[in-house]
Amino acid sequence: MKLIELVPLKKISDLRGSMIAIENNKDIPFEIKRVYYIYDTPKGVSRGFHAHINLIQLAVAVKGQCTFILDNGKERASVVLERPDQGLIIRSHMWREMYDFSDDCVILVLASEHYDESDYIRDYSCFLDAISSS
Ligand code: TYD
């Protein structure tokens, strides 16, 4: 499985501007149970630093840009999200960190499950243990 999985999102553009629609199980490989967005991130702040046991997510920079680092315990790769017509799939058991948010950055996240703190792995060495035993 590729570390950085980018999915193109179809832009519907006309003289009035642009729109993007995302449908369950069609444009993305899961059913959406939750939507949240991250914005107003102060300069120099980083977020994430966790993995999930079951959750799959799609992150889209609907405005501005930020850098995502994904780490599967063996490899680490980074990608700059800066296009509203491109989504990053973040699978379960994938450590993620987010850096370098632009002032105007809005990251939309579509998630396959409701919020559940017990699905988080917030300690990197616990993450490495979890993937070596999975
Ligand atoms: P967290 O996922 O740790 O943020 P990030 O990875 O972007 O740094 O979430 C931050 C806080 O918000 C944490 O206390 C949990 C809470 N939260 C919810 O209540 N519901 C949600 O859907 C999410 C994503 C977070």
Side-chain angles (χ1 to χ4, degrees):
M1 188 62 75
K2 261 170 61 181
L3 214 50
I4 304 293
E5 280 184 80
L6 291 168
V7 291
L9 302 169
K10 191 165 165 271
K11 198 155 73 170
I12 305 162
S13 294
D14 58 29
L15 291 174
R16 298 167 299 170
S18 299
M19 177 173 87
I20 286 172
I22 303 172
E23 294 189 24
N24 274 345
N25 290 321
K26 199 166 151 193
D27 305 295
I28 53 169
F30 58 85
E31 258 184 64
I32 302 158
K33 287 203 183 144
R34 177 165 53 108
V35 175
Y36 63 92
Y37 34 97
I38 297 168
Y39 63 103
D40 276 355
T41 310
K43 267 230 163 336
V45 164
S46 43
R47 303 195 58 130
F49 299 90
H50 66 259
H52 285 279
I53 300 166
N54 286 313
L55 191 68
I56 308 178
Q57 294 179 294
L58 180 91
V60 183
V62 292
K63 185 85 183 157
Q65 66 172 70
C66 86
T67 300
F68 268 74
I69 289 182
L70 296 185
D71 178 338
N72 63 8
K74 296 183 186 78
E75 292 176 88
R76 182 169 262 249
S78 72
V79 61
V80 176
L81 285 195
E82 56 186 349
R83 298 174 61 128
D85 61 351
Q86 189 176 64
L88 175 68
I89 301 271
I90 308 167
R91 297 194 183 266
S92 58
H93 291 104
M94 188 71 84
W95 185 265
R96 85 285 319 266
E97 298 172 6
M98 289 165 263
Y99 297 94
D100 298 335
F101 290 83
S102 61
D103 288 341
D104 60 346
C105 183
V106 182
I107 300 292
L108 172 73
V109 185
L110 310 180
S112 66
E113 303 298 333
H114 295 138
Y115 172 69
D116 175 7
E117 186 58 38
S118 70
D119 189 63
Y120 279 73
I121 306 171
R122 292 191 181 274
D123 179 273
Y124 190 73
S125 57
C126 293
F127 164 65
L128 293 179
D129 289 346
I131 52 169
S132 67
S133 59
S134 69

